[in-house]
Amino acid sequence: MSQQFLSTICLGGAIVLASCGQGTSGNHSKTPADSAATPADSSAAPVETKAANTDYKPAFPGQTRIGGVKTTTPYQSEVLTNDLQSPWGITQLPDGRFLITQKKGTMRIATLDGKLSEPITGLPAVNAGGQGGLLGLRVDPDFASNRMVYWVFSEKLPNGNLTAVAKGKLSADEKKIEGATVIYQATPAYDGTLHYGGRILFDKEGNLIVSTGERSDLATRPQAQDLQSGLGKIVRITKEGNPAAGNPLASQGARPELYSYGHRNVQGLAFHPVTGDLWETEFGPRGGDELNRVEAGKNYGWPTITYGLEYSGKKVGDSIQQKAGLEQPIYYWDPVLSPSGITFYSGNAIPEWQNNLFIAGLSSQHIARIVIKDNKVVGEERLLADEKQRFRDVTEGKDGALYAITDGGRLYKISKK
């Protein structure tokens, strides 16, 4: 039987960043602070206390290290299962259960009490080396009638690897994917195993929004700025994998599926529940992780501008952070958060969380709660930092709880106590 435990937590905004070591959890309890809630636009100390990697200056106040906030509603976290195998993406089925991808190439179904199905097979082979594998997924808006699933994966070709999108039908017995078909490939292929992007969403028109990475290396990095390349982009395609109508860059001679460009490695995509705007998180190098509000046709700057350094400590390119025609991030982190999956909270269970963005942090080992007002970040909180887990994805359930998966194989439920 899977280990389960319950912990009541209310984490303050001044928690120090957890170490990168893996940890185990036991029974523990925390109680909310006696003081009143910290206002979202307060001048409380930022949650980040470590020194930045650079002395770069933000382009505007509040672009980094905003004041900390804390949740005052008592809430609890529960590990529903420890038995997933390197889960990467999670999405909810119409009946409330969750469909989860596992990095090496299978899917699992998890019930709300943490029971897991046997691995679902029948998917195309993935290249699971490095950062590759079976990545983000979504079910068709009409899944209840057509049982179609869409996913992103790293596909191995004779001349290298690339980010691909596929679709298939979940069998009636839920044991396999039937008729799996690759519908899109972010060419060119490259003989590397880093920066695949890999998140996928449905927009309100029923088209697919997909993120691709620029594959990390100096040789491929400039392709994030190349409108003839599928690397370092957000693309918008139909369910058949064709360019969606009305994409913004086709008139400029670009690949017709491109929606935005100049991205490094986008692993977080979400639509704001009120405005409908598309938001993304992407990995910076050493420093410079970004939160962006994505506008059609815009250039988000990588690798021309960045708030980070090379991993070696050297400067990136010309070491500039602002340039005309290139979009500034709404927010950035230095040191890095390592932001993976994201979700906006739209439930009623914890009203103070409404329209807040939740980010699954990998190296930072926490879930970041980001309070946004008028498209600006006005507060930041760290949740579940004491769990010492690499959080890979987070989603909101129909019950108003948050559900998160970790590289260590856990599925968490975070709900009002």
Side-chain angles (χ1 to χ4, degrees):
M1 178 178 293
S2 301
Q3 174 193 2
Q4 293 194 17
F5 67 92
L6 197 64
S7 60
T8 302
I9 50 177
C10 188
L11 302 176
I15 291 173
V16 178
L17 187 64
S19 67
C20 292
Q22 289 287 13
T24 58
S25 299
N27 294 323
H28 58 285
S29 177
K30 295 184 180 178
T31 56
D34 293 332
S35 60
T38 304
D41 58 353
S42 77
S43 58
V47 295
E48 183 57 76
T49 60
K50 292 185 177 180
N53 289 283
T54 76
D55 58 0
Y56 298 151
K57 303 302 181 185
F60 52 85
Q63 194 182 21
T64 191
R65 297 188 183 232
I66 199 67
V69 297
K70 57 186 175 184
T71 301
T72 58
T73 303
Y75 65 96
Q76 59 194 10
S77 72
E78 181 182 2
V79 176
L80 300 180
T81 182
N82 287 289
D83 297 334
L84 292 163
Q85 297 173 344
S86 299
W88 210 95
I90 180 171
T91 194
Q92 196 162 37
L93 296 168
D95 65 6
R97 296 176 300 160
F98 293 95
L99 187 60
I100 299 169
T101 55
Q102 297 186 135
K103 187 175 184 291
K104 290 187 177 179
T106 58
M107 297 181 184
R108 307 286 288 273
I109 294 174
T111 64
L112 291 177
D113 59 359
K115 293 184 175 63
L116 296 177
S117 71
E118 292 300 312
I120 298 166
T121 61
L123 291 80
V126 305
N127 174 25
Q131 296 173 358
L134 187 59
L135 307 175
L137 82 164
R138 282 293 184 271
V139 297
D140 194 289
D142 297 320
F143 177 87
S145 59
N146 64 24
R147 301 186 66 79
M148 292 300 293
V149 181
Y150 297 77
W151 64 93
V152 186
F153 71 108
S154 53
E155 184 178 20
K156 186 173 179 58
L157 299 178
N159 60 335
N161 311 298
L162 50 69
T163 303
V165 182
K167 67 178 182 178
K169 183 178 181 179
L170 180 63
S171 63
D173 62 9
E174 299 182 339
K175 292 182 178 180
K176 58 184 179 297
I177 295 291
E178 300 173 335
T181 306
V182 176
I183 61 171
Y184 178 76
Q185 295 173 319
T187 55
Y190 177 68
D191 188 16
T193 59
L194 303 176
H195 291 194
Y196 290 99
R199 293 297 173 194
I200 183 170
L201 295 177
F202 274 98
D203 68 12
K204 62 183 179 181
E205 287 83 24
N207 296 307
L208 294 166
I209 305 290
V210 182
S211 65
T212 74
E214 40 63 286
R215 308 307 308 281
S216 181
D217 290 354
L218 289 173
T220 58
R221 186 182 289 178
Q223 293 196 44
Q225 291 292 321
D226 185 350
L227 295 181
Q228 298 303 317
S229 170
L231 278 60
K233 308 298 193 297
I234 292 176
V235 303
R236 181 169 169 265
I237 58 177
T238 67
K239 293 180 183 179
E240 292 71 41
N242 300 316
N247 279 341
L249 295 164
S251 62
Q252 300 180 32
R255 290 173 63 142
E257 72 269 25
L258 302 189
Y259 188 79
S260 62
Y261 64 111
H263 300 291
R264 187 171 182 266
N265 188 28
V266 175
Q267 283 192 11
L269 287 174
F271 287 109
H272 192 285
V274 175
T275 67
D277 291 343
L278 178 64
W279 290 70
E280 62 95 327
T281 51
E282 66 182 88
F283 289 76
R286 183 174 167 182
D289 286 351
E290 294 184 359
L291 170 64
N292 289 292
R293 186 171 68 93
V294 180
E295 297 183 74
K298 295 294 182 67
N299 181 349
Y300 288 82
W302 178 257
T304 308
I305 60 172
T306 179
Y307 285 94
L309 302 172
E310 301 285 4
Y311 293 116
S312 65
K314 294 181 179 179
K315 294 181 177 180
V316 175
D318 294 331
S319 187
I320 58 174
Q321 290 72 60
Q322 301 178 47
K323 187 174 181 179
L326 304 183
E327 299 303 304
Q328 281 291 309
I330 298 295
Y331 196 68
Y332 72 86
W333 290 265
D334 182 12
V336 296
L337 173 68
S338 300
S340 196
I342 65 175
T343 194
F344 281 98
Y345 184 81
S346 60
N348 296 315
I350 303 180
E352 63 190 298
W353 285 2
Q354 282 190 346
N355 305 322
N356 291 179
L357 182 68
F358 291 82
I359 304 172
L362 292 167
S363 65
S364 55
Q365 298 189 336
H366 66 262
I367 295 173
R369 172 193 169 210
I370 304 297
V371 184
I372 297 170
K373 182 179 180 181
D374 298 329
N375 295 326
K376 301 293 184 184
V377 173
V378 295
E380 181 174 5
E381 182 179 12
R382 292 176 175 177
L383 309 180
L384 275 63
D386 54 350
E387 295 298 298
K388 296 181 170 59
Q389 292 284 306
R390 288 171 54 87
F391 289 93
R392 179 61 67 172
D393 199 9
V394 60
T395 192
E396 182 185 352
K398 298 177 186 296
D399 57 0
L402 292 175
Y403 292 83
I405 52 176
T406 72
D407 282 2
R410 291 181 177 180
L411 169 61
Y412 281 87
K413 179 181 179 179
I414 308 163
S415 59
K416 183 177 179 180
K417 186 181 178 184

